[in-house]
Amino acid sequence: MPVRFYQKDNHILPTKDKHNSLPISLIPTIPQPLLNPDFSFNPDLQRLLTGKQLLLDDLPFPLEVIQYHYENGYITYRKGIDYRRNKPVCTRCGNKEPQWFATFPCSRCGEHCLYCRKCLMMGRISACSPLIGWQGPTPAHLLPEKILEWKGNLSKGQQVASNHVVEAILQNHEQLIWAVCGAGKTEVLFSGIEAALVAQKRVCIATPRTDVVLELTPRLIAAFPGITVASLYGGSEDRHLYAPLTIATTHQLLRFYQAFDTVILDEVDAFPYTVEESLQYAAVQARKSTSSIIYLTATPIEKWQRECRTGKRSFTTIPARFHRHPLPVPDFTWCGNWQKRIKKDKLPAIVICWIKERLQNNKQTLVFFPHIGLMEKALPILRQLAPDMEAVHAEDPNRKEKVLKMRDKTIPILLTTTILERGVTFPNIDVAVVGAEDDIFTESALVQIAGRAGRSKDYPGGVVTFFHYGKTEAMLKARKQIINMNQEGVKRGLINI
C-alpha cells in the first residue's frame, strides 16, 4: 500500500507517484476538511477508530474508504513522526531520543524512511506513516437500567475515598488515592465508574501489568454486567472492541488519542510506568482535553508524598485495611555478611532459625531475595529443611504454576525476587527479606513486600522481617510510612485498638 500525499484544495490525497508528493511527515500543515452532515459514514469504522490513533496496517478497510471518510471530515490524518526544531519526535509515544530512531529502505514512500524503535512492538511507525483517528460523532452508550450490581459494603475509610473519586470524576479533576496494601482499592472505584457511565463518560482503568488486567477484568464484568468491558493487553482479542469501560495495560494506551473522559491509573509507582516516559506520555495522550484522572497507589513516589504534605496535590488516604487491624510493622534483624556465607553454600544461622520456626508452625512464608543468582544458591541450602520448597522469578516459565501451588498450600515456603512484591494475595503468610539493604529494595518495594502479610480478615496478623547487613534509608522510610498509616488509621477510628 504505497502512501505519499499531495495537497489539493482543503485536503490531502494519497498517491503512488513520487513526483510532486511528500511523505506525510514533510507536509507542513495537514488540512482537515469540514464535517459533511449528509455523509453516510461506516459505523464499523466509527467504532474501531473513536478515540484511537492507528496505523493503516491496523485497519481492515481499504485506503479508498479511509480517504473518502477523511474528505468528508470524519477521519483525521496525523503525522506519525513530526519534526520540532528539525529533530524527529514520535507522535505516538513521544520519543525524541536520537538513539531510538533508525532508517530503513521503505517500499511505501520509496525512500530511506525514519522510524521509531521505542514503540515498535505496537507496529512500525515511520516518517510516511499517517496516524488515523476519528473526527465524527461518537457511538452512543446504551446503558442498562441498573449499572452497578456490586452488593458489597465499603468500610468507613473506603467510603470517604469513594466519595472523593465520584467528585473528582464529575468535576474533571485529578485525585490521588493513597491506600495501604490490601485496603480494597478496586471497590473504591465502583461508584465513580457508575457516575461516569451515567454521565455518558468513557472510562479507562490502566495498570502496568498484564496479570492485573486479567485479574480485574472478571471483577469489573461481575460488577457492571450490563456494560461492555474491553480488556486490552498484548495478544488480547478485544483489540478493536469499542467499549464505554476499558481496562488496559499502560502500553495499550499508545493506541489511544483523546479517548477517555476518565482515566484511572493503578499502581502508578510500579515498573515499567515509573521509568518509561513513553507510558506517561501515552496516559496524557489518551485523555480528552477536559477529563479527570484518578491515581491509585499504596506507595507514592517521594515527590508526590511531599506534594501531599504541602497541599500541592489533592489526595485521599485509606490508612487501614477493611478488617480494621493494623498493618504488620517490619522487624529489622542484622544477619551479617550473608552474601559471603551464601557463596560458601551457607546461610546465616538467624535466617535458618527463622525459617525453621515457620516450618514447625506450618506457617506459609514468602522469602524475598534481591537477585536471581543469590536466590538460586539459597534454594538447595533451604531444601535441606523442606524438600518441597520452590523459588520463582520473572523469567521462570513455571511462575504461574508455582504461585498456584502456593495458593493451594502445597508449597510451604516460596523464595522469590521482587516479582511477587505486589499483585498476589496469600491469606496466612509471614514474610522475610534477605538482604533488605540491597538497592533494589526501594522504600516502595519494601512497603509492598510488607503488605503481603496480614491481608485476610481471618489472619490479619503476620510477621515481617527484614534481614540486613546494615540499615538503609529506604528501610527506615518504609517502616516509618507503615507506622504513620497505622497511627492515622487509629486516629480516624479505622483501626480497632
Side-chain angles (χ1 to χ4, degrees):
M1 193 192 293
V3 179
R4 293 171 68 93
F5 289 90
Y6 68 96
Q7 191 161 340
K8 182 181 178 184
D9 301 327
N10 68 333
H11 58 276
I12 56 173
L13 291 158
T15 179
K16 298 177 184 180
D17 186 2
K18 283 189 71 172
H19 301 290
N20 301 315
S21 66
L22 293 167
I24 195 165
S25 63
L26 298 181
I27 297 174
T29 303
I30 300 171
Q32 180 60 42
L34 295 174
L35 202 70
N36 176 5
D38 299 323
F39 178 69
S40 181
F41 63 84
N42 185 319
D44 292 333
L45 193 54
Q46 175 200 37
R47 283 189 291 271
L48 177 63
L49 277 178
T50 297
K52 294 282 188 66
Q53 50 177 9
L54 300 180
L55 301 171
L56 287 169
D57 290 342
D58 295 325
L59 302 176
F61 295 91
L63 180 56
E64 292 76 19
V65 171
I66 295 162
Q67 177 66 19
Y68 194 33
H69 279 72
Y70 161 74
E71 289 174 13
N72 282 278
Y74 284 75
I75 269 179
T76 60
Y77 287 140
R78 293 168 64 230
K79 302 175 184 182
I81 291 177
D82 205 350
Y83 289 87
R84 294 172 199 166
R85 296 179 183 173
N86 294 322
K87 292 183 179 178
V89 178
C90 177
T91 308
R92 182 170 63 186
C93 75
N95 168 46
K96 46 184 184 254
E97 299 294 328
Q99 69 269 25
W100 283 104
F101 288 101
T103 58
F104 73 107
C106 180
S107 60
R108 285 187 165 175
C109 66
E111 298 183 12
H112 273 75
C113 205
L114 192 74
Y115 73 99
C116 176
R117 296 191 300 116
K118 188 84 171 180
C119 56
L120 191 57
M121 72 287 186
M122 309 299 287
R124 183 163 58 194
I125 192 162
S126 63
C128 70
S129 302
L131 278 171
I132 316 294
W134 185 257
Q135 186 80 347
T138 58
H141 293 179
L142 300 175
L143 302 175
E145 193 171 320
K146 189 173 184 188
I147 293 173
L148 179 60
E149 295 286 354
W150 183 66
K151 299 292 193 295
N153 295 310
L154 297 178
S155 70
K156 186 179 169 185
Q158 286 176 309
Q159 189 61 60
V160 170
S162 175
N163 294 343
H164 289 170
V165 168
V166 171
E167 186 181 347
I169 285 173
L170 293 180
Q171 295 184 6
N172 294 314
H173 289 167
E174 290 191 8
Q175 185 75 15
L176 167 66
I177 304 299
W178 181 354
V180 298
C181 298
K185 295 192 292 291
T186 304
E187 292 78 9
V188 164
L189 301 175
F190 287 164
S191 291
I193 293 170
E194 180 184 36
L197 294 171
V198 167
Q200 290 288 309
K201 291 175 181 280
R202 195 176 177 196
V203 181
C204 177
I205 303 173
T207 181
R209 297 178 301 128
T210 298
D211 51 355
V212 177
V213 173
L214 295 173
E215 182 209 339
L216 287 183
T217 298
R219 293 172 66 186
L220 288 169
I221 291 170
F224 301 95
I227 301 295
T228 302
V229 178
S231 182
L232 304 179
Y233 50 90
S236 164
E237 293 179 1
D238 292 351
R239 181 175 165 187
H240 294 317
L241 177 65
Y242 176 83
L245 178 55
T246 296
I247 176 160
T249 59
T250 42
H251 278 97
Q252 292 297 319
L253 294 184
L254 289 165
R255 297 190 193 279
F256 290 92
Y257 181 67
Q258 295 185 0
F260 301 109
D261 305 277
T262 295
V263 173
I264 299 166
L265 277 176
D266 189 19
E267 296 190 334
V268 287
D269 61 296
F271 178 87
Y273 183 80
T274 47
V275 296
E276 287 195 26
E277 286 184 18
S278 62
L279 299 182
Q280 297 163 34
Y281 174 89
V284 172
Q285 287 262 99
R287 294 174 61 187
K288 291 182 181 176
S289 53
T290 302
S291 59
S292 59
I293 187 161
I294 311 295
Y295 300 103
L296 303 176
T297 180
T299 47
I301 58 173
E302 194 168 326
K303 178 175 179 281
W304 284 23
Q305 291 186 39
R306 194 163 54 248
E307 288 172 356
C308 290
R309 287 193 297 268
T310 55
K312 292 178 181 176
R313 180 173 290 277
S314 180
F315 75 106
T316 309
T317 55
I318 309 179
R321 290 169 170 168
F322 67 97
H323 55 49
R324 300 183 61 83
H325 289 264
L327 301 166
V329 178
D331 296 318
F332 293 172
T333 301
W334 189 81
C335 65
N337 191 342
W338 64 278
Q339 290 199 43
K340 188 176 179 181
R341 289 186 67 79
I342 214 170
K343 286 171 185 173
K344 296 178 181 178
D345 297 321
K346 294 180 181 178
L347 274 171
I350 198 163
V351 175
I352 295 288
C353 288
W354 191 93
I355 290 173
K356 273 184 180 176
E357 188 180 336
R358 268 75 215 159
L359 290 168
Q360 287 163 4
N361 294 328
N362 291 318
K363 187 69 178 277
Q364 276 192 298
T365 304
L366 280 176
V367 182
F368 287 81
F369 284 82
H371 304 289
I372 296 171
L374 294 167
M375 179 182 72
E376 289 180 337
K377 280 190 77 69
L379 182 60
I381 302 168
L382 292 172
R383 272 186 171 161
Q384 294 172 30
L385 306 177
D388 46 0
M389 203 178 291
E390 293 282 4
V392 68
H393 55 85
E395 305 305 318
D396 188 340
N398 300 316
R399 172 180 150 196
K400 288 182 180 176
E401 291 80 356
K402 289 175 182 177
V403 171
L404 282 173
K405 281 184 180 179
M406 186 74 177
R407 286 209 173 101
D408 295 339
K409 299 185 179 178
T410 55
I411 296 176
I413 292 180
L414 183 60
L415 312 187
T416 179
T417 58
T418 52
I419 189 66
L420 294 187
E421 78 177 38
R422 61 178 79 217
V424 291
T425 298
F426 305 108
N428 183 21
I429 62 166
D430 288 343
V431 175
V433 178
V434 177
E437 75 283 352
D438 194 281
D439 288 345
I440 201 164
F441 292 123
T442 60
E443 176 191 354
S444 167
L446 291 171
V447 169
Q448 290 284 354
I449 286 167
R452 297 310 97 204
R455 296 170 76 93
S456 165
K457 64 181 174 59
D458 298 320
Y459 306 100
V463 174
V464 178
T465 303
F466 293 169
F467 292 104
H468 66 90
Y469 186 39
K471 295 175 189 174
T472 63
E473 190 177 1
M475 290 167 61
L476 296 169
K477 283 183 174 179
R479 185 162 68 175
K480 185 180 179 185
Q481 186 182 145
I482 292 166
I483 291 169
N484 287 348
M485 282 295 190
N486 282 340
Q487 289 172 343
E488 186 184 338
V490 171
K491 189 176 177 182
R492 285 171 52 183
L494 303 175
I495 290 177
N496 297 330
I497 302 173

